[in-house]
Amino acid sequence: PAASLHPGMYTFLPAPADNRAPVEARFSYMWRKVDGKWKIVHHHSSAVPKTPGADSGLETLEDMYPIAQENFKTWNDALKQ
């Protein structure tokens, strides 16, 4: 194949080490063969949305989403280089 989609899930730990809360996240990479080498041509990561009606204790994890999103942006920007 000349291209491949690689999706998955992971747990992200944003914030300083002494104040971390796990954020469940999902990702996808789009790989493409360029000049015989596999290259990442697209990447997406995002926090998994809260399940409607879920335990209110999970709401505190949503406070971490802006930090996670900024880290995802930094990661994506680094991949562009």
Side-chain angles (χ1 to χ4, degrees):
S4 180
L5 177 62
H6 173 199
M9 305 287 290
Y10 66 103
T11 302
F12 192 67
L13 294 170
D18 62 344
N19 189 27
R20 288 190 176 156
V23 175
E24 297 300 314
R26 55 195 170 187
F27 71 88
S28 63
Y29 287 104
M30 185 68 189
W31 295 82
R32 185 170 177 196
K33 204 172 243 188
V34 177
D35 296 328
K37 295 181 182 180
W38 286 100
K39 305 278 186 169
I40 297 170
V41 295
H42 177 75
H43 168 257
H44 171 80
S45 286
S46 60
V48 174
K50 179 183 160 193
T51 303
D55 170 28
S56 64
L58 295 176
E59 290 174 1
T60 59
L61 293 180
E62 288 185 340
D63 294 339
M64 301 303 286
Y65 287 1
I67 296 167
Q69 289 170 336
E70 180 59 31
N71 286 334
F72 294 146
K73 181 183 179 318
T74 300
W75 183 9
N76 284 331
D77 291 347
L79 288 172
K80 291 177 187 176
Q81 297 179 8

